[in-house]
Amino acid sequence: MDSAAATDPDTDPGPGPGPGTGGILGTGTDPGADPGTDPGTGTEEQLEIRRTLRELLAKRAGPADVRAAVATPEGYDTGLWATLAGTLGLPGLALPAAYGGVGCGPAELALACEETGRVLAPTPLLATAVLAAPLVAALGTEAQRAALLPRIADGTLTCALALPGGSLPLALGLTGDNTGTPWAGGGRAGGIQAVPAPDGEGWTLYGEAGHVLDGHSAGLLLVAAHAGGFPRSRTLLFLVPEDADGLVRHREPTLDLTRSQATVQLRDVRAELLGEEPLDVPGALAAAGRGAAVMLAAEAVGAARGALDRTVEHAATREQFGRPIGSFQAVKHRLADLLVQIESARSLTRCAATDGDGVSAALALAQALDAQRAAAAETIQLHGGIGITWEHDAHLYFKRATADELLFGPAVRLRARAAERGGLFGATPGEVA
C-alpha cells in the first residue's frame, strides 16, 4: 500500500468508533473505560465518592432534570440537594467531624465538584460549602461555629457570600491584592457600609451587592461591608438571616442558567458580626479564595470532560460520506487535543488540592477555564447546526464556560496574579502565597 495513502485523512478511516478499538473514540462514556475519570485511581474513599455520585447524578441530573431544576424558584432541585447533603454529606466533606462534617480534605470536595460540574448540576454546593463554610470556620466564634457548621454540613442551611461591586475574584485575592483596593466601599458612596446599631446591639448595614451566587435562596448571607472611618477603616463580615427586616433579594437573569445569581439590597439591616475583633478578614478571604480556586477548577474540568464525552458520542454516531465523522483523522486530532488539555488541567487541579498553595491554585483555575472554554467551543463546532439550538445541551456548556470566565477570571489575570505571588516579577512586600 502507498505510504501516503495510509495517512491521508480522506482515505484512512483510522480506528473505528466501536468498543475496544482504542483511542478516544473507543473509550465512550463508561467511567470504567474513561482514562480521565477511571475509578481505579485514588483512595478507596475517593473511589466510592466518585462511583456513588456518578450513579446518582446519572439518574437525577440528566439534561431534562437540569432544565427543570433551573426553572424552579430556588434555581436547583431541592430533593436532589437533600440527598447530596443529607445522605452523601457533600457540604460537610471538608468540615471537621466535631462540627458534624465528614473530616475529609480538599481532594474529596474537589472530586465532588468535578462530578457535579460534569453534568452542570445546579446546587448550592459552591456557595455554601466552598465560599461560606470556610469563612465561618476561620472567623466565627465558637458559639457561631457550633450553631452554623452542623447545619451547613447536613444541608439544612444554605449560605451565600455577598460582596459589593461585583468584586468576587478580587475580594478572594485571585486577581489582585484584596488589601490594596477598597472593594467593600472604602468609606465612600457605594459598596456596603456598616455602622454600630443605635441601641448598641449588633450592627446596621446599608448598601447593595450584585452577582451573589445563590443569593436569592440562601438561608444565611455572609455580607462583606466597610466599617469605621480613618484611621479605623476596615472590612468586616456579617451574618444576615434570610428573614431580616430591610433585606431585599432579586434573582438576576444570567447567561449561565445553571449558576443562579442575585442582587442583594440591604436597607438598614440589622446584622451580627462574624467573629470578634480584631479580625483579619482580607486574610481569611484570601485563604478561602485559594480553596475556592481549586474547587472551581475541578468543576470546570468536570464540565469540560462532560462536553467532550457528549462530543465523542456524537462523533461516533453521526455519519457523513458513509461513515462516522469521528473516523476522520482531522476530527480525531481535535478530540485528542481536547483530551490532553483537559487532563493537564485535571493534573494541575489535583496537585493544587494537595499542596494548598495559592500560586498552584490560581494556575489550576486558569488552565481549567481555558480547557472548559476550548471544550465548549469544540462541542458546538463538531455538533454542527444542532449544536447552536436551544434544545441541545451544547449551549449550556458554552454558557457555563463563558460565565465562569466573567465571574472568576479572566485566565490571563489569574496567571498574572500567580506570577506576582510566585515572585516572578519580584517580591511583593507583605504577601505570602
Side-chain angles (χ1 to χ4, degrees), residues 16-426:
T21 59
I24 188 171
L25 288 178
T27 64
T29 56
D30 176 13
D34 181 345
T37 55
D38 184 355
T41 59
T43 67
E44 188 60 37
E45 189 172 44
Q46 291 170 351
L47 304 184
E48 188 59 31
I49 292 172
R50 187 185 292 281
R51 290 192 198 99
T52 305
L53 265 179
R54 183 75 61 86
E55 292 173 2
L56 174 65
L57 294 174
K59 295 176 182 177
R60 298 184 57 180
D65 300 307
V66 169
R67 291 172 184 260
V70 299
T72 63
E74 296 83 2
Y76 61 92
D77 182 348
T78 55
L80 175 60
W81 174 247
T83 302
L84 292 173
T87 304
L88 302 184
L90 290 200
L93 276 176
L95 291 178
Y99 296 108
V102 180
C104 294
E108 287 74 21
L109 184 56
L111 190 152
C113 290
E114 182 180 337
E115 288 301 316
T116 56
R118 189 183 182 98
V119 295
L120 301 182
T123 72
L125 184 64
L126 176 63
T128 300
V130 175
L131 294 176
L135 292 170
V136 174
L139 296 175
T141 64
E142 179 57 34
Q144 289 171 334
R145 290 195 295 265
L148 299 176
L149 291 180
R151 296 171 59 202
I152 290 175
D154 65 17
T156 57
L157 177 65
T158 58
C159 303
L161 178 61
L163 302 170
S167 54
L168 180 60
L170 175 59
L172 295 177
L174 297 177
T175 57
D177 179 7
N178 67 356
T179 64
T181 304
W183 50 265
R188 299 186 298 273
I192 299 177
Q193 304 298 324
V195 296
D199 59 7
E201 296 292 331
W203 295 73
T204 300
L205 307 183
Y206 191 91
E208 179 177 303
H211 308 300
V212 180
L213 297 178
D214 293 320
H216 69 292
S217 61
L220 179 70
L221 296 176
L222 273 67
V223 180
H226 172 265
F230 185 82
R232 293 208 66 219
S233 176
R234 62 206 186 278
T235 298
L236 299 173
L237 282 175
F238 298 89
L239 303 175
V240 177
E242 60 180 333
D243 57 354
D245 292 337
L247 175 64
V248 179
R249 305 187 288 179
H250 303 287
R251 186 175 179 181
E252 300 174 353
T254 56
L255 173 65
D256 178 13
L257 301 177
T258 63
R259 196 169 324 264
S260 297
Q261 299 175 46
T263 297
V264 175
Q265 297 176 340
L266 302 119
R267 303 170 180 174
D268 293 326
V269 174
R270 298 293 291 264
E272 176 187 353
L273 177 65
L274 178 62
E276 296 178 345
E277 294 198 78
L279 293 164
D280 181 14
V281 172
L285 284 169
R290 292 192 288 273
V294 174
M295 305 311 154
L296 288 165
E299 194 180 64
V301 165
R305 189 58 205 242
L308 176 60
D309 285 346
R310 282 161 172 75
T311 308
V312 168
E313 182 179 3
H314 175 76
T317 56
R318 176 73 167 94
E319 292 192 0
Q320 278 287 4
F321 308 109
R323 72 192 204 197
I325 62 172
S327 65
F328 293 100
Q329 197 173 64
V331 174
K332 288 190 287 187
H333 285 175
R334 291 169 72 172
L335 294 173
D337 287 344
L338 271 184
L339 179 63
V340 171
Q341 190 172 1
I342 294 169
E343 290 306 308
S344 297
R346 176 180 280 116
S347 295
L348 276 174
T349 302
R350 288 178 175 173
C351 177
T354 55
D355 61 22
D357 177 70
V359 173
S360 60
L363 292 176
L365 179 55
Q367 182 75 6
L369 290 177
D370 284 347
Q372 183 178 219
R373 184 177 64 252
E378 287 286 25
T379 295
I380 290 178
Q381 286 284 321
L382 293 177
H383 274 81
I386 194 175
I388 59 173
T389 62
W390 181 262
E391 292 76 16
H392 200 272
D393 297 331
H395 74 94
L396 296 177
Y397 286 93
F398 183 80
K399 290 175 179 177
R400 168 62 69 88
T402 304
D404 276 3
E405 186 91 4
L406 293 171
L407 274 172
F408 309 115
V412 64
R413 292 186 64 186
L414 291 167
R415 291 191 173 97
R417 177 61 176 159
E420 291 175 2
R421 299 177 80 162
L424 186 61
F425 304 135

